[in-house]
Amino acid sequence: MTEKQPMRLRRSQLAVPGSSEKMLTKAAQSAADHVFCDLEDAVAPSAKPAARHTIVEALNSLDWGKKVRCVRINDVSTEWCHEDIITVVEGAHANLDTIMLPKPMSPSDVRFVDLLLSQLEAKLKIKKRIGIEILIEEVQALACVEDIAKASPRIESIIFGMGDYSASQQIDVREIGGESGYPGDIFHYPRFRIAMAARAAGVDPVDGPFGNFKDDEGYRRECKRGLALGFVGKWAIHPAQIDAALDVYSPRPQDVARAREMAEAYAKATAEGIGSVNVGGVMVDAASIRLLSNTIRRADLIGM
Ligand code: COA
Ligand code: MG
């Protein structure tokens, strides 16, 4: 990336149908780090034009606290995409942090959104840069995710959209993000590849939806699978999923304390000209500090 990305929390990204004033209000009051107001799959075609204005009104009038305010637009092959962007950006101006682009097939799909945002920012004299969050949910997109991840300096996150992805590959799952009977984790490969592409581009990998919002155990299992691969958070399609994602995607206080203790011991040792040190039977050197600093950076961002 040429410019540094803003540091934003994305442990829980709550999906909200943009046509529902009631759910938008609940979302603004929720504990999620990030809310995406949807114009795509959660809004019926006939309701999309009105939903743009409902979202603008919600962005401008509700108190969103420190949440990342995102709008998911329709994909570039639809009749709605350009007007989604124009109406939302002209209406909400700086009360919008990011645009989420579903179903990009190639880097040029992302560049379309990037160029339109640049034109609108210039016209409306919006000082801050509106970010882009990319959904990888087609087999063609996964096949070139490394190129898509670098398609625009606005990209802040790459999300694995396992619902559409399963349909695209014709994976046999009964519900979005659910078990398939596959021996092992059916989504290990796309998650691993997306995490690598995102990190190589300097942006956040984020895990997508889990449809059965009554299955807390299954949701937590999927959160842990993402966390282990370097993902920073997971979607919530219902408020009941927010707390589990915040919990799993926050470092444990004892791990943060241990990381700080080790970093301190290492700093003291290097000041004395020593490059590796024994902290409670564990070797700490420059590589350990790189790992530990990931935990410390996340804790600082959360305010732990
Ligand atoms: N955001 C904000 N509030 C939500 C919500 C969401 N995603 N999902 C549910 N709620 C609210 C409901 O309005 C309800 O509010 P109330 O208690 O004041 O009446 C409360 O949370 C409990 O909801 P519940 O009755 O359990 O569910 P529901 O039948 O109203 O809604 C869904 C279930 C699946 C239709 C709904 O959760 C939803 O639309 N989710 C988002 C879908 C989406 O955005 N999909 C695209 C991305 S995958
Ligand atoms: Mg989708």
Side-chain angles (χ1 to χ4, degrees), residues 55-72:
I55 289 173
V56 165
E57 179 61 24
L59 289 173
N60 290 339
S61 63
L62 297 175
D63 179 2
W64 295 87
K66 289 185 181 156
K67 288 180 184 62
V68 182
R69 298 155 300 178
C70 171
V71 175
R72 180 167 75 168

Side-chain angles (χ1 to χ4, degrees), residues 60 69 89 92-97 126-128 130:
N60 290 339
R69 298 155 300 178
V89 176
H93 281 237
N95 290 331
L96 170 73
D97 300 307
I126 298 174
K127 294 275 178 294
K128 69 174 198 183
I130 297 169

Side-chain angles (χ1 to χ4, degrees), residues 168-188:
S168 173
Q169 191 178 317
Q170 301 192 28
I171 288 174
D172 183 18
V173 284
R174 269 173 305 150
E175 58 207 16
I176 293 177
E179 279 295 347
S180 62
Y182 182 77
D185 176 7
I186 187 81
F187 297 132
H188 178 74

Side-chain angles (χ1 to χ4, degrees), residues 14-17 20 22-24 26-27 36 38 41-42 72 176 209 211 213-214 235-239:
L14 178 63
V16 195
S20 171
K22 182 185 150 191
M23 288 199 208
L24 286 163
K26 272 193 108 79
F36 70 95
D38 196 19
D41 289 356
R72 180 167 75 168
I176 293 177
F213 57 83
K214 304 270 185 215
W235 281 10
I237 52 101
H238 187 280

Side-chain angles (χ1 to χ4, degrees), residues 40-41 72 103 135 137 164:
E40 202 213 13
D41 289 356
R72 180 167 75 168
K103 303 183 180 72
L135 255 168
E137 49 187 349
D164 273 300

